[in-house]
Amino acid sequence: MTKAEAPAAIQGVSERIGAHAAAGRELRKRYTVADLAALTREEARRFVPRGDGDPHHDVVLAWELLYRLEPELYDRLASVERLHPEIVSWLPRQVDRIAEVGAGTGRLTMELMARGQHVVAVEPALPLRRILRRKLAAAEHGDRVRVVRGFFDQLPLPDEWADLVVACSAFTPAPGHGGDAGLAEMERVCRPGGWVAIIWPNHLDWLAARGYRYVSFPGPMSVEFASYHEAVELAEIFYPKAADAVRRRGERKVPFEVLGINPPRDLAFKVRAG
Ligand SMILES: C[S@@+](CC[C@H](N)C(=O)[O-])C[C@H]1O[C@@H](n2cnc3c(N)ncnc32)[C@H](O)[C@@H]1O
């Protein structure tokens, strides 16, 4: 999408960022129905299918607004919630073509570019694509990655294009965020004998019923915030139930269990039948 195509709401984002940030509000209460104007028509069709969404009651929708209204705040969170290092080591090495769906600001993409000669990072949210492009421009091998707009259910790639098709913390069984149509698209884009991988999956039974096998890597995992101050600030927004515990600990490093979320230590995968 070019700048001219950006929704008007995104062009007026900076004032609203100030309002949300100053409020320091938790994600669930951060945005209002008026903020849905930040979504393009195509995004609204997927994320607000009945047209009556309210981010106060739909935290998934609040995340979508975060990506568009405060993308740098999202990037700060994703940068400290690091993946288990064995996830990346486990993925196939030295492949020619990789497709990543829901690439965000590149938590995984920045690792993939050392493994694939050609990486396509598909990401619907324009502000996240901009941050990812900025990071790639400064990175060795960044030119191997093409960042494109797209959605799980309509990937802008030919049949059997990739050796590895992957999504990290992005795919869910819900139709707006993947679902059966999205999984079928990921498999369509994967070559026979290639790999489809869902990293940090939720709904393991749903994936197992579709032939996906599960791998989890052990060991303690923590979120390493830049400072104690940042730990408290981000906990108040993203893990509000854990904010008191984070304050009491008085440390910048906080185990995932304290935050009350599953650590990013697992994946589900399928080798596409030949
Ligand atoms: C929690 S973020 C994860 C981003 C990145 N993969 C990471 O690990 O940091 C979820 C991502 O999925 C993207 N997303 C949401 N719905 C999508 C859809 N229908 N198709 C493709 N991507 C989608 C969002 O824009 C966002 O970038």
Side-chain angles (χ1 to χ4, degrees), residues 1 3-12 37-40 43 126:
M1 183 187 283
K3 196 169 178 189
E5 291 171 289
I10 286 182
Q11 288 160 16
L39 300 174
T40 64
E43 290 165 352
L126 172 64

Side-chain angles (χ1 to χ4, degrees), residues 47 64 67 74 102-104 107 123-124 128 151-152 168-170 176-177:
F47 307 141
E64 293 301 333
Y67 305 145
Y74 170 69
R107 171 169 32 196
E123 169 53 49
L128 301 190
F151 296 89
F152 277 110
C168 175
S169 180
H177 293 88

Side-chain angles (χ1 to χ4, degrees), residues 43 46-47 63-64 67-68 74-75 78-79 81 83 100-109 122-126 128 150-155 167-171 174-178 199-200:
E43 290 165 352
R46 289 173 174 89
F47 307 141
W63 280 99
E64 293 301 333
Y67 305 145
R68 289 156 181 90
Y74 170 69
D75 185 47
S79 306
E81 276 182 350
L83 303 177
E100 185 191 358
V101 190
T105 58
R107 171 169 32 196
L108 179 67
T109 326
V122 179
E123 169 53 49
L126 172 64
L128 301 190
F151 296 89
F152 277 110
D153 58 0
Q154 210 174 355
L155 295 176
C168 175
S169 180
F171 183 91
H177 293 88
I199 294 175
W200 208 1

